[in-house]
Amino acid sequence: MNPDGITAAVGESRPRIEGRLKVTGAARYTADVPVAGLAHGWVVTATVSRGRIRDIDAGEALAQPGVLGVLDHRNARRLNPDAGQYFGPDRSLPLLQDEVVAYAGRPIALVVAETPEQARAAAATVRVTYDAEPHDIEFSLAHPAARPASTLFGPEADTGDLEAELAASALVVDEVYHTPEENHSAMEPHVATAWWQDGHLHALDSDQGPFGISQVMASLFLIDPERAHIRAEHVGGGFGGKTVCGPQLILAAMAAEHFGRPVRVALTRRQVFLATGSRPPTEQRVRIGADADGRFRAVHHHAAFALSPLAEYIEWCTEQARTLYAAPAIRTELTAVPLDLLPPCSMRGPGATPGSFAFESAVDEVAERLGIDPLRLRLLNQPEVGPVSGRPFSSRRLVACLQEGARRFGWAQRDPRPRVRREGDLLVGTGVAAVAFIAGVFPSSATITAETDGTFSVRIGATDIGTGARTALIAVAADALGVGVERIRMHIGDSDLGMAAGAGGSRGTTSCAFAIVETAKALREKLAGATTPVTASVDTTPLINWRPDEDRYTYSAVFAEVTVDVATGEVRVRRLLGMFAVGRVINPLLARSQLIGGMIGGLSMALHEEGVRDPVTGRLVTADFAGYHISAHADVPGIEADFVADYEPQDPSGFNGLGEIGNAGVAAAIANAVWHATGTRHRTLPISLGRVVESVAAQDRPQAVGVA
Amino acid sequence: MREFAYRRTSRIDEALHLVARHEGARFLAGGTNLVDLMKAGVESPARLVDIRSLTLDEIGETPDGGLVLGATATNSAVAADPRVRGRYPALSQAILLGASGQLRNMATVGGNLLQRTRCAYFTDTSEPCNRRVPGSGCPAIDGAHHNHAILGWTRHCVATHPSDMAVPLIAFDAVVRYEALDGPGAIPLSEFYLPVGDRPDRETALPDGALITAVTVPAVKAAGRSRYRKVRERASYAFATVSVAAALDVRDGVVQDVRLALGGVASRPWRARLAESALRGGPLTAERISAAADVELAAAEPLRDNAYKVTLARNLIEAVVTELAADTGEESNG
């Protein structure tokens, strides 16, 4: 109960407020919103990995019924080549500007027609010829074009004398790990509807942050930022794939201007794979030196990822090494390898997720080779302060996660020896991984009006991509205003609502909650004795402590049990348990649901997801759900996700983000369990049966039943 | 827009005439594969003749104790039929391990046999593919072929046949029955799929314009104890990496009959006759099972990235035959 006698909404499990609309089909996603006079664009994508367009023959397409025209580099309007997003200029954003093809799947034309069927059929008749050039998509850490990655996220770590500590170590693990290209695969493909009115751009777009996207669009089209109005009311998943300004929106806006009417561009599933950014492949070398008793002396994590020369990007794989364990010497290096690929894009815990797979696998290898229990090894090396920063932790409940998880999972009964548990043809193993995930807030602004009817209209440019953010923010607003949730009218998903963090970086809800809490505070001061309506607005930019004297992270411990079939190499997960320290939890029902979703994403990454490119053409072969496998229901066991008590002192309400940490530790926990089951270490994801079957069967041919 | 005509008929002769009279006409049953391929531009029939109103969906008995599976009987109906489950359990298992409940409710016996490969190069019209455009080339051979054929392929095509159902059917000597304008005919399933050769686009021996009316499955004593095991990259809703249908009849310690067929390894369901011969007429020992698997896979020619399938197929034959031996209570005695 708060001082006004209202039961606190934060901490209560409530189903998402728009849930009924969604399950009854009443919620309208971007492509569901009718717009008068709508025309439809169909994207034509490049089929070579590098080269120049010699000709685009659209003659047949233009003659087809309903076709309004074809946009390509010869007739499209010019866009600002310096527009960009988080990482600076992104030269992949200006579409249809020239004949250069920098990657396969690049949109090179848009066929616009009265109906999507007409546009699609006409697009199939567009004949494109190229002057192909040799391409290079051969990713490796040792690639000649490899260069240090951007340090926009801060300098890499280099503390202590690494080589001396390695030399003094009783054991050095030095291994290389690989993760493949992966695609976000949100259920709702990217779609946008755009129109222009009086020099203003209006668009409905499936994205993770309409305010940020509106800024990019304004820059691309060189209009005042106030003239770009982007809405994303309901979004069918994003997983990072909709954080950037997508080709669907850029092309819809170009076509709407060109043809003088609203245009919708909906990508097909295949086009989402081909023309929107993926998680880049990584190659990671991890060296850990330890004393015979398990204490780490040296940690070295050198990670490389692929990107495009068109845009800067950071897959920050080295985050775990700098904060998870204490060691006298820690060095991290991050290498970027420019290749003829489309620019990568943040995905489900960028950096931390592939980085955790490599780093927490290597930690497990230390435990294996020293004969120390992997849980004990992790507890043994916990730091008192940030091992690289030297700063205290604002809250660090990782040990609680590990210990409570171990208790629930029954870790104490675990036999540490590999390949000793067998049920018929199935080998059984268990594994653990720890995770730290950086936390914080981005600037956001909110406006709250105390209405004459006693309700409060909260306006904030937040986005709910299916996580329950809207519901969570209503609870935050209700508590901050001291009223029940029924008195909150929440307005989100519109760039006109003002600057706000998008749903990304595990910071959307925390950032927007911060703004709402501060705005509510300001409103309550203004309200005293005033007559309604009263409005207050707060921008949190000056309130954010950008150089805090404490390290702020969320934590998790993940435990997995797997079976491996010795005859077939099939790996199946039996149990998955995640314990999380993510600050004060706003809505346990939705938080748990999001974490379980993340853990399923981690499982899918561990065992299934792999973007495969043709080694000759460089084109993505797995550009649909028949070729790109994500876990099916039958792959997902009973998953337990729960919280240890936590409170983030840097946040006025004790909150931290939890959007991505669910993904991060799962692949390592599963890989470590596969080692425990089979005795073979898998350092390349996914751990597909083709990779397992030969090693597991070579050691142990199945015995015929009843052989005398 | 790509338009096509659509006709539904409840008479076989009319269906045959409708297809024969029109260039580019195709029969449409469940549509679970054909309609997908039409959307992708792989198939562009000028006319669809919907045969779901034909009364070809019965599952009946043959005089010799076998079964007749009507061509438009749904996969779900066949899998659930008590006679199929009792006499040919591997057939029921194979169907239930394929696709999803929704797809099985639509897909039919005839359509299942005629479904096309899921090779990614076949389904992407911006790629060359000898099966889709004869003479255009096969990019899978040097390209991404992790899931492609290890047996019976040629330089012209290395795609696999995706059907689960056809694997036990070929093991049980099923026969495809059809009607054509010049009368009815029958083709053993073992001869139904043509060898890849240099024309992978010619997939079956079914005469042009013929309509599959039924598949008959003869009485096979061993089939009563049969099993289908499907290995795939995830636990559900994926095509087989390798699958095995096996049936075993062991009496007095001697293999009287054995049926073995592999899925996911060739352009057609692969009857493992060499392995069968190696096992038939002798005792069922671990060594003989192992040798039988080896002799069948001696002809395997893996590509750069699919050699694991040879190991997998070998292990799977061993595992399934061994399981069946245990089930039948006839212990092997090596």
Side-chain angles (χ1 to χ4, degrees):
Chain A
M1 302 273 273
N2 66 18
D4 302 322
I6 308 287
T7 304
V10 169
E12 290 283 306
S13 283
R14 291 166 200 268
R16 62 199 71 196
I17 190 165
E18 74 283 2
R20 183 177 175 81
L21 292 178
K22 285 182 173 173
V23 297
T24 56
R28 290 199 297 204
Y29 291 82
T30 296
D32 302 330
V33 180
V35 174
L38 187 62
H40 298 265
W42 200 272
V43 181
V44 177
T45 56
T47 57
V48 298
S49 286
R50 185 187 172 97
R52 288 176 175 273
I53 298 165
R54 189 187 301 159
D55 184 43
I56 296 178
D57 177 1
E60 197 181 331
L62 290 168
Q64 296 218 357
V67 172
L68 301 174
V70 177
L71 277 185
D72 62 31
H73 63 282
R74 296 167 303 192
N75 60 351
R77 63 109 79 203
R78 297 302 96 179
L79 297 169
N80 175 10
D82 296 321
Q85 222 159 335
Y86 315 114
F87 298 108
D90 181 344
R91 314 282 180 200
S92 77
L93 288 176
L95 293 166
L96 315 185
Q97 301 295 293
D98 56 32
E99 69 282 6
V100 175
V101 176
Y103 53 88
R106 172 87 172 161
I108 52 172
L110 186 77
V111 178
V112 181
E114 295 289 347
T115 71
E117 293 83 2
Q118 289 169 334
R120 178 180 206 164
T125 69
V126 173
R127 300 282 163 256
V128 185
T129 49
Y130 304 90
D131 290 314
E133 297 164 8
H135 64 268
D136 182 3
I137 60 154
E138 281 289 308
F139 168 70
S140 86
L141 194 153
H143 193 282
R147 60 163 173 85
S150 161
T151 53
L152 191 69
F153 291 171
E156 290 299 311
D158 193 4
T159 63
D161 187 337
L162 183 78
E163 296 304 332
E165 294 292 344
L166 285 169
S169 295
L171 168 84
V172 176
V173 163
D174 181 358
E175 296 292 352
V176 177
Y177 304 84
H178 295 90
T179 66
E181 180 177 342
E182 295 160 0
N183 188 278
H184 309 77
S185 306
M187 194 182 290
E188 179 202 27
H190 297 48
V191 56
T193 304
W195 64 95
W196 292 82
Q197 198 170 7
D198 305 327
H200 287 247
L201 168 65
H202 297 265
L204 312 171
D205 183 42
S206 176
D207 67 54
Q208 293 180 232
F211 178 80
I213 302 284
S214 74
Q215 304 297 294
V216 180
M217 287 297 284
S219 172
L220 261 177
F221 287 82
L222 292 170
I223 56 174
D224 291 338
E226 304 78 47
R227 288 174 172 248
H229 312 273
I230 314 287
R231 279 186 278 154
E233 187 185 6
H234 294 296
V235 179
F239 308 109
K242 295 172 182 170
T243 52
V244 294
C245 185
Q248 77 284 357
L249 177 58
I250 299 166
L251 292 171
M254 292 171 86
E257 186 184 49
H258 188 93
F259 296 102
R261 57 191 281 192
V263 174
R264 177 180 297 155
V265 175
L267 301 189
T268 62
R269 178 61 61 189
R270 179 174 290 275
Q271 289 170 346
V272 170
F273 274 101
L274 296 176
T276 72
S278 296
R279 192 203 296 281
T282 73
E283 178 171 346
Q284 305 178 56
R285 182 185 181 197
V286 182
R287 289 195 290 172
I288 299 177
D291 287 334
D293 68 357
R295 285 193 193 278
F296 291 173
R297 297 188 73 107
V299 168
H300 181 204
H301 190 164
H302 183 185
F305 59 91
L307 47 46
S308 160
L310 298 179
E312 193 53 85
Y313 174 78
I314 302 172
E315 186 76 20
W316 200 31
C317 297
T318 51
E319 183 183 358
Q320 304 299 313
R322 60 194 296 140
T323 194
L324 207 46
Y325 304 109
I330 297 177
R331 181 187 295 167
T332 63
E333 292 174 77
L334 200 57
T335 293
V337 182
L339 296 170
D340 298 318
L341 296 168
L342 80 170
C345 175
S346 296
M347 172 169 162
R348 307 183 205 152
T353 303
S356 157
F357 162 67
F359 187 69
E360 279 291 283
S361 291
V363 168
D364 217 67
E365 299 205 48
V366 174
E368 169 196 340
R369 294 182 209 180
L370 288 176
I372 295 176
D373 177 84
L375 179 71
R376 196 168 79 77
L377 182 77
R378 286 171 169 88
L379 292 170
L380 183 69
N381 286 290
Q382 289 303 304
E384 293 297 319
V385 296
V388 174
S389 71
R391 293 189 296 251
F393 296 102
S394 59
S395 172
R396 186 181 168 102
R397 304 291 325 277
L398 174 58
V399 168
C401 290
L402 285 163
Q403 289 177 333
E404 176 60 13
R407 189 187 66 78
R408 295 191 191 185
F409 195 75
W411 189 266
Q413 285 78 53
R414 180 181 188 262
D415 182 335
R417 294 172 299 159
R419 211 183 172 98
V420 294
R421 291 146 302 278
R422 183 149 183 173
E423 300 171 9
D425 270 356
L426 298 180
L427 299 168
V428 184
T430 52
V432 64
V435 180
F437 202 100
I438 197 159
V441 287
F442 293 131
S444 298
S445 59
T447 298
I448 306 179
T449 299
E451 308 286 2
T452 52
D453 65 357
T455 64
F456 294 83
S457 297
V458 181
R459 293 183 169 81
I460 184 157
T463 326
D464 190 331
I465 58 172
T467 59
R470 183 184 280 108
T471 308
L473 293 177
I474 288 172
V476 171
D479 281 10
L481 292 162
V483 299
V485 291
E486 71 286 349
R487 289 170 68 187
I488 304 298
R489 301 177 189 274
M490 182 62 65
H491 303 270
I492 67 168
D494 188 336
S495 64
D496 287 352
L497 296 172
M499 183 267 293
S506 295
R507 295 180 184 201
T509 297
T510 329
S511 303
C512 293
F514 184 24
I516 288 171
V517 167
E518 294 299 331
T519 308
K521 206 186 294 175
L523 181 71
R524 292 181 88 165
E525 284 166 15
K526 280 175 94 170
L527 256 180
T531 48
T532 53
V534 176
T535 296
S537 297
V538 171
D539 176 345
T540 59
T541 308
L543 304 176
I544 293 173
N545 179 5
W546 290 107
R547 296 199 171 277
D549 48 11
E550 294 174 323
D551 284 359
R552 180 174 176 184
Y553 288 90
T554 55
Y555 297 93
S556 76
V558 184
F559 296 80
E561 178 176 332
V562 305
T563 63
V564 181
D565 189 307
V566 292
T568 66
E570 292 162 295
V571 179
R572 303 283 187 249
V573 178
R574 265 193 185 167
R575 283 197 291 157
L576 215 45
L577 163 67
M579 290 304 301
F580 295 89
V582 289
R584 183 173 162 228
V585 176
I586 298 173
N587 183 324
L589 176 73
L590 299 180
R592 181 176 171 276
S593 170
Q594 191 170 0
L595 290 169
I596 287 176
M599 292 172 76
I600 294 169
L603 187 165
S604 194
M605 173 197 194
L607 300 183
H608 302 125
E609 296 189 39
E610 182 173 23
V612 177
R613 288 186 177 270
D614 184 291
V616 178
T617 66
R619 302 179 65 194
L620 191 67
V621 180
T622 51
D624 57 32
F625 285 155
Y628 187 86
H629 281 180
I630 55 178
S631 296
H633 282 91
D635 294 292
V636 179
I639 296 182
E640 186 181 353
D642 207 349
F643 310 97
V644 298
D646 193 21
Y647 189 94
E648 173 53 57
Q650 288 187 30
D651 183 83
S653 312
F655 302 147
N656 260 336
L658 54 78
E660 297 163 289
I661 191 170
N663 288 275
V666 176
I670 289 173
N672 295 340
V674 170
W675 169 79
H676 189 231
T678 64
T680 302
R681 190 63 70 172
H682 286 273
R683 302 186 182 92
T684 297
L685 293 185
I687 308 172
S688 55
L689 66 91
R691 293 193 165 110
V692 177
V693 68
E694 304 215 56
S695 62
V696 79
Q699 290 180 50
D700 186 342
R701 294 286 297 278
Q703 299 293 303
V705 172
V707 173
Chain B
M1 236 167 73
R2 209 180 281 129
E3 294 186 343
F4 59 89
Y6 171 88
R7 276 289 293 275
R8 175 175 284 201
T9 174
S10 53
R11 286 173 37 211
I12 292 177
D13 58 344
E14 189 184 23
L16 291 170
H17 277 105
L18 283 169
V19 165
R21 268 207 309 272
H22 297 95
E23 188 75 15
R26 297 285 304 273
F27 297 115
L28 173 74
T32 57
N33 187 217
L34 178 58
V35 174
D36 271 359
L37 292 173
M38 288 170 66
K39 289 181 190 166
V42 175
E43 298 260 21
S44 45
R47 169 177 294 260
L48 291 179
V49 178
D50 188 332
I51 57 166
R52 280 173 294 186
S53 303
L54 304 186
T55 49
L56 291 175
D57 58 349
E58 283 189 24
I59 300 170
E61 304 271 348
T62 63
D64 72 340
L67 290 177
V68 185
L69 312 175
T72 61
T74 65
N75 285 187
S76 296
V78 175
D81 189 282
R83 294 162 294 183
V84 173
R85 293 164 65 96
R87 296 179 212 172
Y88 309 98
L91 177 57
S92 178
Q93 292 162 13
I95 292 170
L96 293 176
L97 288 169
S100 65
Q102 294 92 328
L103 288 167
R104 294 192 295 269
N105 286 341
M106 288 298 290
T108 63
V109 168
N112 186 305
L113 296 180
L114 291 174
Q115 66 180 304
R116 314 294 300 276
T117 183
R118 294 329 196 264
C119 172
Y121 299 101
F122 173 76
T123 52
D124 181 351
T125 54
S126 67
E127 292 279 358
C129 170
N130 287 328
R131 195 173 281 271
R132 180 166 33 77
V133 183
S136 60
C138 175
I141 288 176
D142 295 320
H145 53 233
H146 176 263
N147 215 8
H148 283 66
I150 54 171
L151 286 162
W153 56 271
T154 72
R155 294 298 297 172
H156 301 278
C157 181
V158 291
T160 58
H161 195 267
S163 173
D164 290 298
M165 185 187 80
V167 180
L169 283 179
I170 208 163
F172 301 150
D173 292 325
V175 175
V176 179
R177 308 206 173 261
Y178 64 84
E179 288 282 348
L181 283 177
D182 56 0
I187 311 170
L189 192 57
S190 57
E191 293 163 27
F192 184 75
Y193 297 105
L194 301 175
V196 182
D198 58 2
R199 285 297 301 271
D201 58 306
R202 295 174 179 163
E203 295 185 348
T204 74
L206 196 66
D208 280 350
L211 173 68
I212 297 178
T213 52
V215 172
T216 53
V217 197
V220 177
K221 182 174 184 300
R225 293 184 187 277
S226 61
R227 179 168 296 207
Y228 186 75
R229 174 101 181 259
K230 178 177 183 176
V231 174
R232 45 187 162 175
E233 292 285 2
R234 62 181 169 193
S236 173
Y237 204 53
F239 292 96
T241 302
V242 176
S243 66
V244 171
L248 194 59
D249 177 12
V250 185
R251 270 168 286 164
D252 307 325
V254 173
V255 176
Q256 308 295 323
D257 190 15
V258 59
R259 305 295 180 94
L260 280 170
L262 299 169
V265 296
S267 67
R268 49 182 163 151
W270 188 267
R271 179 77 178 266
R273 292 191 189 277
L274 296 173
E276 290 179 3
S277 301
L279 288 172
R280 200 172 280 123
L284 198 62
T285 64
E287 289 73 16
R288 285 171 55 83
I289 296 170
S290 195
D294 283 340
V295 71
E296 189 65 47
L297 290 159
E301 293 181 279
L303 296 153
R304 184 192 64 235
D305 291 330
N306 70 355
Y308 75 96
K309 278 195 172 189
V310 181
T311 309
L312 182 54
R314 195 194 174 291
N315 291 355
L316 208 50
I317 291 172
E318 283 188 342
V320 175
V321 173
T322 305
E323 281 169 31
L324 269 178
D327 277 6
T328 54
E330 284 278 349
E331 298 199 343
S332 54
N333 48 9

